[in-house]
Amino acid sequence: MEVASRHVLLCVIVSLTAHGIGAEKVLVVPPAISGSHWFPLASVGQALAGRGHEVTVVVSQDIVAKRRTERPQLRFESFLDQGSSARLEAKTGQLSELSNKSMLYIAQRLQGSLKDKALHCDLLLGDGDLIERLKQARFQVVITEPFISQCGAIVAAHLGVPHVALLRHDPTGLDYQATGVPRPPSYVPSTMSSFTDRMTFLQRAQNFVVSCVAPVVFQWFVENMHYDQLRKYIGEEETLVGVLAKTDVWLYQMDPLLDLPRPSMPNMVNVGGILAREAGPLSEDLELFMQSSGSAGVVVVSFGSQAKTLNPERAEVMAAAFAQLRQKVVWRYVGEKPAGLGNNTKLMAWLPQNDLLGHPKTRAFVTHAGSNGVYEALYHGVPMVCTPLGADQPGNAARAVSRGLGVRLDFNTFTTETLYQAIMQVLTDKSYQETAALLSRLHRDQPQSPMERAVWWVEHVIKHGGLPHLRARAVELPWYQYYLLDVAVFLLGVCSAVLGTVWYSCSFVCRKVCCKSGSKLKSQ
């Protein structure tokens, strides 16, 4: 036992000294909503804790006990958030209900969510005892997820600590402004659209309008949400873009295989598939169920943590389609058991999605096309039937389909027959299996796993106390200098002066010639 303990200690020391740093203090500030937004942050924090770092997470008081049970390797600080995070959880848990609502209804829900996010941030920053404890801890880096709310970035700036952002995307577009990276709408689709990099003229026109208008609208809401916090905790003249521009590294949960090539800066690092890993063993009863499928295999069905309940009518349609399959079905489902549920279908309130997708019996994945699930399916080479509900899911589904990873259905209109046919298509058409296997090999063929790369960059920031040399000068330029409008005006003036001089000179010469010719004619 003593020898084993020494061996483990030696491994930890070697792994830490390989990057030239010791055990350091890391602060994680997750967004008010959890689920798919919490898992990547928690996993990175756990990976850092596994390398000997002291990782502290700030969460609301009502979930701190749950988080401590889930992640015993992490430390937790808590504050009273007056139920704001619970209200946000309830709203995001009803995501499937928004898919057929009007834009006005969705806008009202968004406004209510922003109020809860603002309150959550106000209460976090306004907890003097908490902030004092965080200051006294002297953290070396703060890791956040800047999804619409930028509370974590404000906390990092208030503490004066280097900041690392881990995100899928930011619909506000503030990340692009803060990094100065161009985003040409001619081939970079908006994150809220279902376009790919091969757009028709009308799609490019629509993408241009959405790429220009949506960030302005979102930014107006977000900047107003954080206006008082910036002035109270950072400075009277500070802006949200200015705070975000100090971010040392942006870790994007993206991979060009699915999210398409696009411009980036040196401090923008792709870590798409950060949660995907080799499949672990299943529980005994679940393994028996998988093995009972025989050669037909299993279809995994999950609509993620943000859609805990489904419309009963939609659930009946899905249950009837699954009942027709030869395959066994594992379905993450919370709610009343559908009347038409087949004997081949197993309902689970929670399922080990990554481990199921990596199981040799899994043949297909029916999903809402959330980014975590899509990347786990890519990693394990499982074709998909995508039925997106909202947010970035239509775009994820469109790009997965464009790569040949599966098919897409409209969640509100598919029938039992169309869902059944879609599942059978990805099960029987070998091209989907072959494409999924090929893309899986490409995705896995990296010098570092996405998680290893994320941890390396966080430790790189810790080691050097920040990476300001990676930030582009573009952020500091006024808009007219960024777009070279001053140069364009200068060159236009020079060209105008030259052309004016030439025109005047030619006119002057012509007049002189004409005058001499006229004098000669008169003398004759």
Side-chain angles (χ1 to χ4, degrees):
M1 180 65 73
E2 185 179 352
V3 174
S5 300
R6 288 178 179 176
H7 179 69
V8 170
L9 180 60
L10 179 62
C11 289
V12 171
I13 294 172
V14 170
S15 65
L16 289 173
T17 55
H19 202 289
I21 64 172
E24 304 291 355
K25 293 184 177 182
V26 178
L27 178 65
V28 177
V29 184
I33 53 177
S34 59
S36 58
H37 296 275
W38 157 248
F39 297 142
L41 280 173
S43 297
V44 170
Q46 193 161 322
L48 289 166
R51 290 176 60 82
H53 301 294
E54 182 183 304
V55 181
T56 302
V57 186
V58 179
V59 296
S60 61
Q61 183 67 47
D62 56 347
I63 63 170
V64 66
K66 178 183 177 183
R67 291 287 182 258
R68 285 196 178 108
T69 302
E70 293 172 346
R71 309 278 179 169
Q73 303 91 339
L74 307 181
R75 300 186 178 206
F76 290 89
E77 288 281 0
S78 62
F79 66 102
L80 294 172
D81 74 341
Q82 297 182 8
S84 56
S85 58
R87 288 191 295 273
L88 285 166
E89 285 294 319
K91 291 172 184 175
T92 53
Q94 300 166 352
L95 183 60
S96 61
E97 299 177 5
L98 299 179
S99 56
N100 58 352
K101 298 295 185 181
S102 67
M103 290 301 296
L104 178 61
Y105 180 83
I106 294 174
Q108 290 173 341
R109 290 290 296 271
L110 174 63
Q111 187 174 11
S113 296
L114 290 176
K115 287 182 179 179
D116 282 325
K117 288 182 179 181
L119 176 61
H120 184 89
C121 190
D122 281 334
L123 293 171
L124 192 163
L125 288 164
D127 190 329
D129 292 337
L130 170 64
I131 296 299
E132 185 60 30
R133 290 197 300 273
L134 297 182
K135 288 180 178 178
Q136 292 296 326
R138 299 185 181 280
F139 293 100
Q140 276 72 47
V141 68
V142 175
I143 307 175
T144 74
E145 200 233 33
F147 180 76
I148 298 184
S149 173
Q150 309 295 340
C151 189
I154 296 174
V155 170
H158 183 57
L159 297 178
V161 178
H163 176 220
V164 173
L166 173 66
L167 69 162
R168 167 63 177 163
H169 65 89
D170 184 3
T172 68
L174 285 167
D175 57 332
Y176 285 90
Q177 288 192 33
T179 55
V181 68
R183 185 169 56 175
S186 55
Y187 68 93
V188 178
S190 168
T191 55
M192 306 304 289
S193 76
S194 58
F195 299 147
T196 68
D197 54 355
R198 299 181 183 275
M199 292 177 272
T200 64
F201 171 79
L202 290 178
Q203 288 175 336
R204 282 187 287 115
Q206 183 179 342
N207 190 55
F208 173 76
V209 173
V210 171
S211 298
C212 292
V213 174
V216 172
V217 174
F218 274 114
Q219 285 175 29
W220 185 84
F221 279 111
V222 174
E223 286 173 356
N224 277 282
M225 179 173 69
H226 291 303
Y227 181 85
D228 292 333
Q229 296 158 2
L230 285 171
R231 273 141 191 79
K232 184 175 181 180
Y233 299 104
I234 307 300
E236 290 290 333
E237 303 301 321
E238 191 59 88
T239 64
L240 202 53
V241 172
V243 169
L244 289 172
K246 297 181 177 68
T247 300
D248 292 280
V249 174
W250 299 79
L251 300 174
Y252 283 90
Q253 296 174 63
M254 294 183 176
D255 188 305
L257 270 176
L258 282 184
D259 295 298
L260 313 174
R262 62 187 65 201
S264 67
M265 292 292 180
N267 63 343
M268 300 170 71
V269 181
N270 286 333
V271 292
I274 196 169
L275 295 182
R277 63 191 186 283
E278 292 296 332
L282 302 175
S283 62
E284 184 177 351
D285 63 326
L286 189 52
E287 180 63 36
L288 287 173
F289 181 83
M290 298 293 286
Q291 295 298 335
S292 69
S293 65
S295 61
V298 176
V299 175
V300 178
V301 183
S302 175
F303 286 83
S305 59
Q306 300 301 323
K308 295 183 175 65
T309 59
L310 295 174
N311 181 292
E313 181 183 348
R314 291 282 85 196
E316 290 293 348
V317 169
M318 296 171 69
F322 301 151
Q324 298 180 37
L325 296 171
R326 290 177 52 245
Q327 288 73 21
K328 293 292 183 73
V329 178
V330 180
W331 184 6
R332 179 180 182 180
Y333 181 82
V334 178
E336 187 176 348
K337 181 180 177 180
L341 193 72
N343 294 328
N344 65 332
T345 304
K346 181 181 181 66
L347 299 182
M348 299 182 68
W350 177 87
L351 51 80
Q353 183 171 280
N354 180 81
D355 300 332
L356 282 171
L357 291 174
H359 197 281
K361 291 290 185 180
T362 298
R363 300 289 183 265
F365 184 33
V366 180
T367 172
H368 65 310
S371 60
N372 292 334
V374 168
Y375 270 104
E376 287 173 349
L378 171 67
Y379 182 87
H380 295 292
V382 179
M384 294 173 279
V385 175
C386 301
T387 61
L389 300 174
D392 66 337
Q393 296 158 20
N396 296 339
R399 290 182 269 281
V401 171
S402 72
R403 292 299 197 199
L405 278 170
V407 298
R408 176 183 176 181
L409 295 176
D410 186 289
F411 180 82
N412 296 306
T413 61
F414 69 71
T415 64
T416 295
E417 183 60 25
T418 56
L419 177 57
Y420 171 76
Q421 291 297 335
I423 297 173
M424 290 305 299
Q425 183 177 343
V426 300
L427 287 173
T428 58
D429 189 336
K430 291 184 178 180
S431 66
Y432 293 107
Q433 296 284 349
E434 292 170 354
T435 300
L438 170 63
L439 295 182
S440 175
R441 290 194 297 271
L442 285 171
H443 177 62
R444 289 179 179 229
D445 192 11
Q446 304 180 48
Q448 290 176 305
S449 71
M451 179 60 76
E452 289 171 342
R453 189 156 55 249
V455 168
W456 187 92
W457 275 99
V458 171
E459 291 185 335
H460 193 52
V461 171
I462 294 173
K463 180 179 179 181
H464 299 284
L467 306 173
H469 63 286
L470 296 182
R471 302 174 198 157
R473 176 78 169 84
V475 185
E476 303 171 16
L477 297 177
W479 62 270
Y480 59 86
Q481 288 187 16
Y482 180 85
Y483 292 105
L484 292 176
L485 296 183
D486 52 345
V487 175
V489 169
F490 172 75
L491 294 177
L492 182 62
V494 171
C495 291
S496 299
V498 171
L499 291 174
T501 301
V502 172
W503 175 263
Y504 178 80
S505 300
C506 291
S507 299
F508 178 78
V509 171
C510 288
R511 286 197 301 270
K512 289 295 185 181
V513 171
C514 290
C515 288
K516 289 181 179 179
S517 299
S519 300
K520 288 180 180 179
L521 289 173
K522 287 179 180 180
S523 63
Q524 291 175 358

